[in-house]
Amino acid sequence: LSPGGKTERPHMPASIFVFADLHLGRPGAPGLDWALQELEVAANSGATACVCLGDIIDRNAEASEFVPQARAVMAHAATLFGEVHFISGNHDTHHNLDFPPEVTVHGTQVHTFHIGNTTVLTAAVATDPDPRRLQLPPRRSNRPVLGLLHSSVTGEFSKGTCLPLSVAELQACEADAWILGHVHTPHTLADAPFIGWVGMGHGLLFHPDTCHVTRLYY
């Protein structure tokens, strides 16, 4: 362990790990054990920061059992990564989630923050459904720019409206990649730059040195 209590990892190029749609409490969802193992694999793959991009818990989950599980996931992430961020999805709005202080919980208005040299553009979901059409700013940074949204985009892969946007609107921001939550299968909407959903039971890595997005396999 390092002096701060985090596990020492071999030196690898830094990346940002993004997962979404864990849906704790939903029958057939990946579950707590999968999440804890996936976090370990991501850290061992060189990720130095972690983002949960919404729907960590299912709207119909029994809060007394699964809110503590959600906390356990984020607490474990805090032991593995230098930064941990949470951006709520539509299902999360049904629960009072309580995370450790090391986890940065993001607000529902469009804003940017930094992970290392990467500028991250995001807005959390406010309601279920959330029909807001966000006004996304153009690129203003020479840093790598990563967009993160829990969004149904144009809705062809989703039953519910959630921060609807067109692919053209996302591309107009000139981000180096857009990683999305909400849709449970890992669809890719565009390749250059990458625009696509993480998917349930999957994880993505954003590599600031190349601005590429790769899937995490184990």
Side-chain angles (χ1 to χ4, degrees), residues 6-19 35-50 76-84 204-205 216-218:
K6 295 182 184 295
T7 304
E8 292 284 0
R9 303 287 169 179
H11 177 71
M12 299 177 183
S15 59
I16 301 168
F17 173 59
V18 182
F19 73 100
L36 298 179
Q37 183 177 7
E38 181 86 345
L39 292 171
E40 294 275 356
V41 172
N44 286 324
S45 298
T48 57
C50 172
H76 190 55
T79 70
L80 297 172
F81 303 96
E83 292 187 48
V84 181
L204 290 177
L205 296 168
L216 181 69
Y217 296 102
Y218 71 95

Side-chain angles (χ1 to χ4, degrees), residues 33-170:
D33 290 343
W34 175 88
L36 298 179
Q37 183 177 7
E38 181 86 345
L39 292 171
E40 294 275 356
V41 172
N44 286 324
S45 298
T48 57
C50 172
V51 181
C52 177
L53 193 47
D55 286 0
I56 194 170
I57 186 170
D58 195 75
R59 68 163 67 90
N60 296 316
E62 176 57 51
S64 62
E65 179 178 0
F66 292 103
V67 168
Q69 286 195 16
R71 181 181 174 86
V73 171
M74 301 307 285
H76 190 55
T79 70
L80 297 172
F81 303 96
E83 292 187 48
V84 181
H85 298 265
F86 179 77
I87 300 164
S88 64
N90 55 302
H91 283 248
D92 303 313
T93 64
H94 294 267
H95 300 279
N96 292 319
L97 297 173
D98 174 33
F99 295 135
E102 297 86 357
V103 177
T104 301
V105 178
H106 288 271
T108 58
Q109 300 304 308
V110 175
H111 64 283
T112 59
F113 64 97
H114 293 106
I115 298 177
N117 193 46
T118 300
T119 298
V120 181
L121 174 61
T122 194
V125 174
T127 58
D128 184 20
D130 191 339
R132 292 178 298 155
R133 292 200 71 91
L134 302 178
Q135 299 299 310
L136 300 175
R139 185 181 186 128
R140 297 191 181 98
S141 176
N142 292 324
R143 301 167 179 252
V145 176
L146 172 63
L148 296 174
L149 283 178
H150 194 93
S151 171
S152 57
V153 191
T154 53
E156 66 267 41
F157 298 109
S158 174
K159 296 179 180 178
T161 300
C162 192
L163 302 182
L165 287 160
S166 68
V167 172
E169 286 174 297
L170 294 172

Side-chain angles (χ1 to χ4, degrees), residues 151-157 165-168 170-171 178-181 183 185-198 215:
S151 171
S152 57
V153 191
T154 53
E156 66 267 41
F157 298 109
L165 287 160
S166 68
V167 172
L170 294 172
Q171 291 171 328
W178 278 99
I179 296 178
L180 308 172
V183 171
T185 49
H187 292 288
T188 298
L189 296 174
D191 290 312
F194 174 86
I195 301 173
W197 286 284
V198 178
R215 292 214 167 265

